[in-house]
Amino acid sequence: MAGPIRVTVHPPSPSGGRRVRVDGEILGLAHNVGDVAEFLRRAGLEIDPAEVAGVPWIDWRGVGPERWGPEAGG
C-alpha cells in the first residue's frame, strides 16, 4: 500500500446526506454510518458499521457521525 488511506465525510448537505470521499474520489452520498461502511467495502476496505464512527482515518467534517440531515432551524 502506498500510504494511509484518507476518508472524508463532508458536512450534511442542505437536502440531507453527506458526501463521502476516499483519497479524493467521491464514492457517494451517505445517509448513515451503514452507507459509509458500504461505500468503503465497495472501495476494498472492510469495516464493521459499528466501528465507522471511531476509526481515526475517517475525517468527519463539520459535525460527527451523529448528524446526517440538514441543519435544524433555531
Side-chain angles (χ1 to χ4, degrees), residues 5-25:
I5 198 88
R6 292 297 308 155
V7 178
T8 303
V9 180
H10 293 270
S13 73
S15 60
R18 299 176 73 169
R19 191 171 357 119
V20 178
R21 290 179 181 260
V22 172
D23 288 337
E25 179 182 343

Side-chain angles (χ1 to χ4, degrees), residues 1-73:
M1 195 175 265
I5 198 88
R6 292 297 308 155
V7 178
T8 303
V9 180
H10 293 270
S13 73
S15 60
R18 299 176 73 169
R19 191 171 357 119
V20 178
R21 290 179 181 260
V22 172
D23 288 337
E25 179 182 343
I26 297 173
L27 299 184
L29 188 67
H31 293 276
N32 54 53
V33 294
D35 290 348
V36 175
E38 177 61 16
F39 291 148
L40 296 178
R41 184 193 68 76
R42 291 178 188 178
L45 303 166
E46 291 294 329
I47 184 169
D48 186 309
E51 298 174 0
V52 168
V55 296
W57 41 268
I58 297 179
D59 179 14
W60 296 91
R61 300 272 174 100
V63 294
E66 68 283 348
R67 291 288 315 231
W68 297 92
E71 289 295 321

